[in-house]
Amino acid sequence: MQDGLSGTGIGLVTVGFSPPDAVGALGEHLSLAGPVLADERRELYRLLGVGRAPLWRVYSAGTVLHYARAVRRGHRLTRPVEDTRQLGADALVVDGVVTRRWRPRSPDDRADPALLVASALRAAGH
C-alpha cells in the first residue's frame, strides 16, 4: 500500500495491540513505511469503534481456509498468544480528524489496499 502513497506527502501509520517489540518486529518483517505503534490498552481501537468478533466470525470459512492453505504449504501453526477475537480496522485521518473508517466483520474481511490509497489520494486532493 505504501508504494501507492510514495511521493504524495501522505503518511501511513500502523497501530497494533501487541507489545512494542512484537509490533516493531512485524513492521520490520512487512517493511511498513511510517511509524509502527503499539496500543496495548487498545485505546485507539475503542475510539475508532473497533471491537472484538464472536468466535464464529473469527473462525469463519475464510479464516479456516487461510490456515488450511498455510498448513498445506508446510507452515506449522502455533497457539495464539494474543486476543484472536480483536478485529483490526483502517482509518483515514485528515488534520487529526477521522474522516473515514473501514471496520471488518471478521479477520479475513479487510479493506482493499487500492481502495485505501485511492481514498487517501482523494482526501489530499491528488
Side-chain angles (χ1 to χ4, degrees):
M1 177 169 40
Q2 56 256 17
D3 290 338
L5 299 176
S6 184
T8 64
I10 298 170
L12 175 68
V13 176
T14 303
V15 179
F17 63 88
S18 300
D21 289 346
V23 172
L26 179 62
E28 286 180 27
H29 173 73
L30 297 175
S31 300
L32 295 174
V36 179
L37 309 174
D39 179 18
E40 291 182 88
R41 291 184 295 207
R42 301 180 221 187
E43 293 171 7
L44 180 60
Y45 286 75
R46 278 189 289 283
L47 288 170
L48 291 174
V50 181
R52 297 172 73 231
L55 282 174
W56 61 272
R57 280 209 182 125
V58 171
Y59 297 102
S60 66
T63 303
V64 171
L65 182 60
H66 171 80
Y67 287 117
R69 287 179 178 150
V71 168
R72 269 189 267 138
R73 288 191 308 265
H75 293 276
R76 185 170 160 241
L77 299 182
T78 59
R79 179 176 291 272
V81 296
E82 297 173 330
D83 184 357
T84 59
R85 293 180 51 202
Q86 177 62 59
L87 292 170
D90 298 284
L92 180 60
V93 180
V94 178
D95 296 327
V97 176
V98 175
T99 61
R100 181 118 190 246
R101 288 179 294 185
W102 293 268
R103 293 181 292 188
R105 294 173 45 93
S106 66
D108 62 322
D109 172 35
R110 292 303 295 264
D112 180 347
L115 171 66
L116 301 174
V117 168
S119 297
L121 292 171
R122 259 192 318 279
H126 290 279

